[in-house]
Amino acid sequence: MERYTEISRSDERLWGDRCPVLAERWCIWRDNETGAAAGQVQILSLVLPRVVGATVRLDCFGSNGEALEGREYRIEGTGLRFGMETALPLPDPATQRLVPTVTSVSFSDGSIWYAAGAPWGPVPQPEQLGAYLPEPELQKEYRDLVTSGQRAY
């Protein structure tokens, strides 16, 4: 039997207004020997100067969607993406789902960004320009340009 079992995974990107990073994906693992649960969150930096760490609140939920004890964690890392290499011990082994929220971000120049209570949610999907083109011929031309990778300018 494997030591760890993946309980859940999400690739839904979450972001808060004006936040310099987003939670790109996350997962929950169960230790089959101890019964403990751990989470992992991958952070994606959206800005310069370089991000060197983030404080992330993990709201935890059980199998019926009931709220469980959550906790804040400090995730250190450098580079564009970081965090998936860090196991975050969860307070309740019954955790089945996580919702991460970034509460602060530290930068290489020593500055810190703090969340101002803006709600977190899924990153909006971009609207396709082709839906606004009235003529079928223009829509086809737009699709051909987009899928070919060519630039129209």
Side-chain angles (χ1 to χ4, degrees), residues 86-103:
T86 305
L88 308 170
L90 300 174
D92 194 324
T95 300
Q96 298 290 310
R97 187 173 67 90
L98 298 176
V99 177
T101 303
V102 175
T103 59

Side-chain angles (χ1 to χ4, degrees), residues 3-153:
R3 170 79 191 258
Y4 299 98
T5 302
E6 185 177 290
I7 301 302
S8 66
R9 170 178 295 276
S10 178
D11 292 325
E12 179 181 47
R13 294 173 158 202
L14 295 180
W15 181 74
D17 188 37
R18 295 187 176 92
C19 185
V21 299
L22 59 83
E24 189 169 39
R25 62 185 174 142
W26 56 94
C27 62
I28 302 171
W29 296 89
R30 177 120 26 253
D31 183 328
N32 294 318
E33 290 181 12
T34 67
Q40 292 174 296
V41 179
Q42 181 167 296
I43 304 296
L44 173 65
S45 176
L46 303 174
V47 298
L48 289 174
R50 190 171 66 192
V51 172
V52 295
T55 302
V56 178
R57 171 148 183 89
L58 296 183
D59 292 317
C60 301
F61 300 90
S63 59
N64 293 324
E66 71 277 15
L68 303 173
E69 181 183 351
R71 186 173 289 164
E72 278 196 352
Y73 300 87
R74 181 74 186 154
I75 301 174
E76 303 291 333
T78 58
L80 181 64
R81 289 179 169 89
F82 62 94
M84 281 304 274
E85 64 282 349
T86 305
L88 308 170
L90 300 174
D92 194 324
T95 300
Q96 298 290 310
R97 187 173 67 90
L98 298 176
V99 177
T101 303
V102 175
T103 59
S104 69
V105 176
S106 302
F107 299 95
S108 59
D109 67 359
S111 62
I112 301 174
W113 173 89
Y114 293 100
W120 271 66
V123 173
Q125 295 298 315
E127 292 186 46
Q128 294 296 319
L129 178 61
Y132 295 98
L133 298 173
E135 302 293 327
E137 185 61 35
L138 288 174
Q139 290 177 8
K140 181 185 180 317
E141 187 176 333
Y142 170 75
R143 271 193 308 277
D144 291 347
L145 277 171
V146 169
T147 57
S148 72
Q150 296 178 13
R151 294 187 176 180
Y153 51 90

